[in-house]
Amino acid sequence: MSNRQRRKSLSIFRPPLQPLTPIRDEPPDSAPAATLKKRRPISCTDDESPMSSPGAQKIERTDSKRSLSRLMTKDRSRGTQKDGRPSSIFGSLRSLSSLKDEDENSAPSPSSMHSAASAIPDVAAGLLIHHGPLPEVSGVFRRRCPYLVLTDLHLTQFKSQGRASEMFPDISGPHGPAKTNLRHSRLSSSSSIHELQGPSDGYYSIPLVHVIAVYKLDDGEPYFSIEVAHLNDNTSSASTMTLQIHDPGESSAWLTAIRSAASKARLTSSIFFPSSLVEYTAKSLEQEQDYHPDHFHMFKVVQRANKSGKRSSSDDLTKLTSKICILAVGMYKIHIVPLPKSVKSPSSTSLSELSGTSHGIVTLSSVNIQTFDDSFQLWFRVPFKPPHALHLAALCVHEVASYIRQATEYLRPEWIEQPFAWIAPSSLSDDALLPLAPEEEDDNLAFDRTLTAYCAGYAIDTSNIRYTINYTCDDAPAFELLPRASTQRPKYSSMELLAIFRALRYNETFHTIRFGGISLDVLNGLCDPHGWEHTPWTRRSGEPVDLGEQQRTSILIQEVRALALKSRRLRRMDFSYCFTRRSSSAGAVPDSGCGICEALFPLCVKQYTNVDWVVLDGNLLADVDIDYLYAAAIEKSSHFRAIEVGHCGLGDRNLEMVLQALSHQGETLETLSCCGNFARLQPLDLREYFDRFSFIRTLDFSNTYRTSGAEPLFAFNTLRRWKLAELSLSGSSINPETLAVLADYLRDPQSNSLKILCLNQCGLTGGNVNDLCRAMTRSTPRQLHLFISENYLEQGHAGLVEAVEQSLTPSQLTMEMLEYRDEENYRFLLQAWARNTSTVYLNMSKVALPLAASTATAAALEAMLANNATLQILNIEGQETHLESAIFGPTLNQALLGLKQNKVLKVLHVEHQKLGMPGANTIASILEENSTLLELHCACNGFSLQAFTVIVSSLKNNTTLLYLPYMEEDREAEFKKWDREFEGGRDSGLRSLTTPTKATVNTMRRSLGAAMPGPLQIANRPVGSPTKQKRQYTQQQADRLLTSINTKWDKEIAMMQGFLQRNHNLAHGSHGPPPENGAAIENERPATGLSARTSMQLGSNEATPLAEPDRQLGAGMGAASEHGDGAVNRLEDDGDTETALMMSEKLNLD
């Protein structure tokens, strides 16, 4: 029986190290595009264990093929290191152009293995450090007592003490002088023979520079075992040596001696990573989209087996196998990269191969570094999942930990307290770590960087997260989360919301955080039982908070509290319309509320946060929410500026509790909003509450109910004491007494601070508006925005006309959705506006007339547009629904011509007025002459491709317009019209086009003129037959038609963008490049303002997408001519513009 067979039969040796397989074999697709600043590397020492390890510096790409250079360090002497610790092993890189030749020259061959082993310095040349016998082990035929010798260069295992004494004279033989002929004995430690075989028989040696880690082994055996993992880069051989020692003191002595000697040996050697290994590791990170040259560090580590207790059988041997691999710290993740397949294990034992893994740096929950050996543990945890542990070991454990710590602080630079446990020796304490290198300050305190890191850690697509930052609002800057980018799933997931919340934590850039309109239902009531590392136990200053058992609260409550506790500058939080919950029915589980009140208001009571403005509008509040609000508001220490509870479903009792509690905040409250609730207000009680408020600036009691009576809603002295900026009573019934108080207040100089007055749907008449306008009149126009929409202004209309004509109106006036039974009253109002000189903004949209406006009314509007010298913004938008219509009518085209003489209007809204092709011609003629209009909002007017083309053509001669819509709604409507024309569903594969007469044939030809000029395919039958005929079209032909229209629409949009960019450059004094292909396209366009017949013939020389149907239609038309009908030719030659327009609109507006 051979030695190898006998060794396997005992089953007492640990198998050699098994190499790992690559993460991926495919080349990387892309790498992160962001460029980050370099950070100063950390140099660490360990007082308790004098181990030192190599580190890493940046890796740079030096050639155009994004290849890596070889990683190498310079020789170091012991005197240049601090406390015996090495500096980084990463050095300069050579380009890949030299790697191939170098690898070919340096790759070992089987024939050169012995020469490679002979190149190792003589084992006996080293300085003897420690030696001793290993435990005696009895075999089947003989006993053995191996002897272990440690020098400053090698760890050598001899078969006997006598063999060791032959090489080291300082070691005496077991029986006096050393004997030369000793019988071979079996070793008591397991190792790889191929790696350890020395130049002569009788001993096995490991160069200390090849040692990766030295650590205690907990394998269940009755030994104090030590495992030494090593990797020979020259021979690509990885293995382990296990030392089984009975005495714990001797085991500790060997462990300390080997670690110290291995660390010092690396200091005096040129340690480098083979270039092929560096390239392989970098490509692995690139495939994970996590490689950046300034944020890339790699280390050789051992992935240890995790098993304790006694093994039951030898089958568990492979489960205890340790693996040498690469630990790479990337931009956002920590990677365990298996060794490439070229690294072969010499052992014949079949071992399971581990696959590479990646973990987000922000998911790190614990770092545990042992003080007695090279082992350490990294724990990672993704929300709602149990933690995952990596049991590792490395001589460079301190440097690995330092770089991981640096990476966490780089990704979360504002986090004062990192959310993971740091269990490390004193040499790696916070005070001992070197400070980070100073960096340029990123926008918003690296918010984007932190958010991207959380998205990478939680496997989230960053393109779905949309937000904006508002710098012009109160309490700016404000973070505003926008709806999710994906239309397939418009609501944010729980992981996406957690990434946003945790990226905002500790960030003091934002004074306001708005989640308004974003559904947070997915986090309400959701708990994470697997860990509480992100639970906020302290304030930003580190002071503990007493909030009960927070680990039992929902994730939403924990994250909202964290935002409020960790930022000193956060003042306002907006959660309006974030929850769609419904109150629990009687007898059901108690309603836990929306969660926001439970999260914030206890912090305000105990003064743990500076948040003093909470917006809860649109969320149904439960009784428990009201209890939290009441408990916080009655405490003056809360210092609330506003608690907005509009549309929260409050009844009489709950609203009374809210007002009673907020009355204690009278010295600080600035905004009081209780609109849209079901409660009925008692004027006398309400006035009592109002008297307690001293600094109200915004009061919103719109859409509220009050009890009947003659009492005013508030007293004059109360309004006069406030410095109101906004007062809203829309949707509330205002009695004459309240109107009188309001008029008196508007006359008083104390009301000069009022900027917004909302009185929509308050039952006002024209006479009431006249009284209010006279009360607010000053020597100059009152700078105030008055809302009087949906009131009965036709009653007492003469008073309204008088206020407008005498310029008593404020600078901004909104009067939408007015209904006129007599069109003449509306005409009088337009005539008054022609003479008004006080209003610069007028919203008179959605006005309903009994019939379409007459020519007299159109003339009044035309005179208003031509003669008014103060209006700068005008909105005459229409409205059309299934039940009612509020449009001006066809005469609006004539009225708009007054803009040709206007010299002051800058913004015009004229949407939803069904202007069609005549309106397009009108707008085109206006744009050619008007030089003051900056914005024209004219979408949703039934514009076809031809109409859009006419409008865009007019921009050639207009150099002042800065905004024009893309008409996307009109494009969609155009597609729907054509879809209706093609009868039948897409499933049938055929479409039929109904063509009753030759006149309709010509109409279709003109409607398709801009997209596909030429005749359509129609059956050859006599025209004039009362029976409609249907010509079958394939789905492919219909799709080609719609594709042609869509392509030409995009072409017009591109031209429009070029013209608008030209105008923008001119407005800002710069001369940018002309529109792309502008000259060529402009030469193809007709002059604007042409007749309908001329404009409908646009593109007649272009190729049609349905050439074959056109050819067939040509034959059909010829046959029709043979029947003596020349309607088509006569219509083409007819100069009657109105007839052509009617035929064109038939298809485009049906």
Side-chain angles (χ1 to χ4, degrees), residues 34 130 221 231 537 572 581 754 859 884 1038 1087 1105:
H130 193 66
E221 292 289 348
L231 173 65
W537 304 106
R572 184 184 308 210
R581 51 176 298 278
L754 187 66
E884 60 181 355

Side-chain angles (χ1 to χ4, degrees), residues 287-355:
Q287 292 186 1
E288 293 289 332
Q289 297 185 0
D290 193 42
Y291 174 78
H292 191 278
D294 292 339
H295 299 273
F296 171 72
H297 308 282
M298 56 184 293
F299 310 90
K300 297 175 185 177
V301 298
V302 178
Q303 189 170 4
R304 300 184 296 113
N306 180 26
K307 184 176 177 63
S308 60
K310 187 175 181 178
R311 289 200 306 268
S312 58
S313 66
S314 60
D315 295 338
D316 293 332
L317 185 63
T318 57
K319 298 181 181 179
L320 292 174
T321 302
S322 298
K323 309 291 180 180
I324 289 183
C325 52
I326 298 298
L327 185 146
V329 182
M331 185 75 176
Y332 303 111
K333 296 179 181 180
I334 296 175
H335 308 263
I336 299 297
V337 183
L339 293 178
K341 294 181 179 179
S342 59
V343 180
K344 302 297 183 180
S345 174
S347 174
S348 61
T349 306
S350 176
L351 302 178
S352 61
E353 293 186 351
L354 301 179
S355 59

Side-chain angles (χ1 to χ4, degrees), residues 187-203:
L187 300 178
S188 62
S189 62
S190 62
S191 60
S192 172
I193 300 298
H194 187 80
E195 166 71 14
L196 304 179
Q197 183 67 41
S200 63
D201 201 6
Y203 68 91

Side-chain angles (χ1 to χ4, degrees), residues 660-688:
Q660 181 181 358
L662 291 179
S663 63
H664 292 80
Q665 306 293 323
E667 299 298 325
T668 58
L669 201 68
E670 299 178 7
T671 295
L672 181 60
S673 174
C674 299
C675 61
N677 290 296
F678 305 134
R680 297 181 64 87
L681 302 175
Q682 297 285 347
L684 294 179
D685 296 339
L686 192 59
R687 289 170 61 182
E688 181 180 353

Side-chain angles (χ1 to χ4, degrees), residues 226-304:
I226 300 174
E227 191 164 76
V228 181
H230 48 95
L231 173 65
N232 189 339
D233 292 324
N234 294 327
T235 61
S236 298
S237 179
S239 186
T240 59
M241 171 188 284
T242 302
L243 308 179
Q244 298 175 345
I245 304 174
H246 292 291
D247 182 70
E250 185 67 17
S251 176
S252 178
W254 273 110
L255 180 66
T256 303
I258 296 175
R259 291 181 67 202
S260 178
S263 177
K264 292 179 180 179
R266 294 169 66 91
L267 296 177
T268 58
S269 303
S270 295
I271 308 300
F272 65 93
F273 282 106
S275 58
S276 58
L277 185 60
V278 177
E279 176 77 8
Y280 163 78
T281 306
K283 285 185 176 181
S284 299
L285 268 64
E286 280 185 335
Q287 292 186 1
E288 293 289 332
Q289 297 185 0
D290 193 42
Y291 174 78
H292 191 278
D294 292 339
H295 299 273
F296 171 72
H297 308 282
M298 56 184 293
F299 310 90
K300 297 175 185 177
V301 298
V302 178
Q303 189 170 4
R304 300 184 296 113

